[in-house]
């Protein structure tokens, strides 16, 4: 098969690349041809020469798309790229089908097979090597702490020096999924006092095992929803949760929010009133910030704002891209594992009876075959609620 790396992904400025040379070597050894457009790895500091040494052909994007059986992306592709694809080709990436109805419809109508790593069944142990949501969330959780530490004008650890003693920073992480746990671990490694909170009761133990303190809230009943994800809170519960969190937020120097409910708008956990009570110099990183809203009132995806009371609020929607080297290396292993799983005798074999494939194949033979995506497309607004 001919595999081509996409260039020109959404959002513009994406620095990650779908394959790194190590994977090109593995795929070439499996008999595939990999076409890499010039500069495809530049954002992750991978020169073209490293790709060609690993067995890739350096060729223009247009030639690559024309020759490709499979086009590999990280983020959803830009419209200009989609326009160059043709029926029978396959696009593999983190396509966010539940929030990209226009893209899904176009790919289906044009007979392109779309495979999205976002839909992978995550509790299946044989799929763990393909789990890009986990690998990218882990990188982003680490980077969230680095960004916060950078914006925070004080030490994170307790420091006793001849010039006096510095108190450790107090860090609160809301949401203890993959990103949140990595953020807690990173903040602990930097010496901060760390507290964590999540609606799912099973996270108590995970938070404690990192040396962080679990924040108990009295106003909300802990609980999990489907597939090990958070349950959706109703408006009354969310208001009670926000009100109780306000006081905790005010006494922390750094607050990192990571709360998500799959396919829904992120819950608002940090009200503007809570940010107003924080000390000048404090930092809030909203990892859920997106065009669909975030966890923090007033955060703007892709922007850093300093409030009137001196709190830096970072709308962090590109943290994995800011760690393009590590994120690309992990993503490349994930997408290669998936690609090899989908391949029989050197070509793609789509088989929706396979549990992994049923989760990731979104469009095939001109139809939307992924049930959750089809259901979302049938809703009038097509956007998360
Ligand atoms: P996510 O990105 O969907 O959400 C992040 C966190 O936000 C979750 O822990 C969620 O419980 C929390 N959250 C949502 N609403 C909240 C609210 N109102 N208040 C507080 N917290 C709230 O989650 P994720 O990181 O993708 O992981 C979700 C689940 O998937 C976890 O159970 C994780 O262990 C599981 N998982 C399993 C595997 C595996 O078994 N191999 C791999 C990855 C993830």
């Amino acid at each position: 098969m001919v595999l081509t790396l996409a260039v020109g992904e959404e959002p513009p400025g994406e620095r990650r690349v779908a394959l790194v040379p190590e994977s090109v070597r593995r795929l070439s050894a499996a008999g595939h041809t990999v076409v890499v457009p010039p500069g495809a790895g530049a954002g992750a500091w991978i020169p073209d020469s490293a790709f060609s040494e690993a067995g890739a052909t350096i060729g223009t994007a247009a030639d690559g798309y024309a020759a490709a059986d499979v086009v590999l992306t990280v983020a959803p592709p830009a419209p200009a790229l989609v326009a160059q694809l043709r029926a029978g080709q396959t696009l593999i990436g983190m396509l966010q089908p539940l929030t990209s109805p226009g893209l899904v419809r176009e790919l289906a109508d044009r007979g392109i097979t779309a495979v999205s790593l976002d839909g992978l069944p995550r509790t299946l142990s044989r799929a763990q090597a393909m789990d890009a949501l986990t690998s990218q969330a882990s990188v982003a959780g680490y980077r969230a702490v680095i960004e916060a530490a950078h914006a925070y004008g004080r030490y994170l650890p307790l420091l006793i020096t001849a010039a006096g003693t510095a108190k450790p920073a107090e860090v609160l992480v809301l949401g203890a999924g993959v990103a949140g746990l990595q953020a807690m671990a990173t903040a602990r490694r930097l010496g901060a006092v760390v507290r964590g909170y999540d609606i799912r009761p099973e996270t108590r133990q995970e938070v404690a095992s990192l040396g962080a303190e679990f924040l108990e809230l009295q106003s909300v009943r802990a609980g999990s929803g489907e597939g090990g994800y958070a349950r959706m809170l109703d408006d009354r519960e969310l208001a009670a949760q926000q009100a109780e969190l306000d006081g905790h937020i005010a006494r922390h120097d750094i607050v990192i929010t990571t709360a998500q409910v799959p396919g829904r708008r992120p819950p608002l956990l940090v009200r503007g009133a809570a940010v107003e009570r924080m000390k000048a110099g404090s930092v809030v990183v909203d990892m859920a910030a997106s065009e669909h809203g975030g966890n923090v009132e007033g955060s703007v995806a892709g922007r850093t704002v300093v409030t009137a009371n001196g709190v830096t609020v970072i709308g962090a929607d590109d943290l994995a891209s800011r760690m393009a080297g590590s994120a690309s290396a992990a993503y490349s292993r994930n997408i290669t594992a998936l690609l090899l799983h989908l391949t029989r005798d050197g070509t793609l074999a789509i088989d929706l009876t396979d549990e992994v494939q049923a989760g990731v194949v979104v469009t095939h033979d001109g139809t939307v075959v992924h049930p959750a995506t089809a259901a979302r497309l049938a809703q009038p607004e097509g956007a998360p609620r």
Side-chain angles (χ1 to χ4, degrees), residues 121-125 127-128 131 133-134 137 174-181 197-200 202-203 206 217 220 223-224 227-233 238 241 245 258-262 266-269 295:
R122 301 175 77 190
T123 46
L124 214 59
S125 60
Q128 276 178 20
D131 190 347
L133 279 181
T134 291
L174 300 177
V178 177
L181 291 171
Y197 167 70
D198 198 292
I199 189 81
R200 291 183 294 118
E202 60 269 31
T203 57
E206 292 167 321
L217 293 196
V220 202
S224 298
Y229 286 101
R231 72 183 176 89
M232 183 78 181
L233 301 187
L238 203 52
Q241 187 186 37
L245 279 172
T258 75
Q260 299 272 8
V261 181
L268 186 81
L269 301 181
N295 295 146

Side-chain angles (χ1 to χ4, degrees), residues 88-114:
Q89 285 183 315
T90 298
L91 178 70
I92 307 182
M94 288 196 290
L95 306 178
Q96 302 169 14
L98 294 176
T99 51
S100 315
L103 173 67
V104 173
R105 268 197 203 99
E106 185 176 357
L107 293 170
D109 290 349
R110 305 233 335 260
I112 296 155
T113 297

